[in-house]
Amino acid sequence: MKKVEAIIRKSKFSTVKNALHEVGVNFFSYWDVTGLGNDKEGHVYRGVSYSTSDIQRRYLSIVVNDDFEEVTIKAILESASTGDVGDGKIFVSHIDDVYRIRTGEKGAQTLK
């Protein structure tokens, strides 16, 4: 099993969510987060200058069976990309085990 964590633009969340549902990833957790980015330039919007170093993003945490790792990553990459700096990052780590609290089941079948 793999844990896929993604930090994406908040404006792309709906698109990413729909893309994940289309490939069969129907359960994940998400949080609103603030991070520091590499973009050090300020931007001007309607005559007001603002800093882009503190960036509002959405953090997704998805645990999938090994056979869903690539399709999950591909869905996020294709749906979250704008081609601009600040599109986000994806992190993948190994999950040793998972338990379903309600039944006590253990292993990959708990993700279905």
Side-chain angles (χ1 to χ4, degrees), residues 10-28:
K10 287 176 84 171
S11 62
K12 297 297 274 181
F13 176 70
S14 184
T15 306
V16 171
K17 178 179 69 170
N18 291 336
L20 290 170
H21 287 310
E22 285 178 18
V23 297
V25 177
N26 295 310
F27 178 81
F28 59 89

Side-chain angles (χ1 to χ4, degrees), residues 75-104:
I76 296 169
L77 286 172
E78 291 176 356
S79 60
S81 177
T82 66
D84 294 328
V85 172
D87 279 346
K89 298 272 192 287
I90 298 174
F91 308 96
V92 180
S93 55
H94 181 75
I95 298 295
D96 291 327
D97 226 334
V98 61
Y99 294 84
R100 180 173 285 141
I101 294 173
R102 178 177 52 88
T103 63

Side-chain angles (χ1 to χ4, degrees), residues 1-2 63-67 94-112:
M1 288 171 284
K2 302 292 184 180
V63 177
V64 295
N65 287 318
D66 290 338
D67 57 336
H94 181 75
I95 298 295
D96 291 327
D97 226 334
V98 61
Y99 294 84
R100 180 173 285 141
I101 294 173
R102 178 177 52 88
T103 63
E105 286 176 276
K106 174 184 176 181
Q109 71 272 11
T110 64
L111 299 177
K112 296 179 181 180

Side-chain angles (χ1 to χ4, degrees), residues 18-65:
N18 291 336
L20 290 170
H21 287 310
E22 285 178 18
V23 297
V25 177
N26 295 310
F27 178 81
F28 59 89
S29 300
Y30 65 91
W31 300 264
D32 288 333
V33 296
T34 302
L36 297 174
N38 291 329
D39 189 9
K40 301 299 182 205
E41 298 177 20
H43 291 280
V44 177
Y45 178 72
R46 294 187 177 180
V48 176
S49 179
Y50 63 95
S51 169
T52 56
S53 62
D54 294 329
I55 304 169
Q56 298 295 311
R57 294 288 183 256
R58 190 146 286 165
Y59 179 93
L60 287 69
S61 177
I62 311 161
V63 177
V64 295
N65 287 318

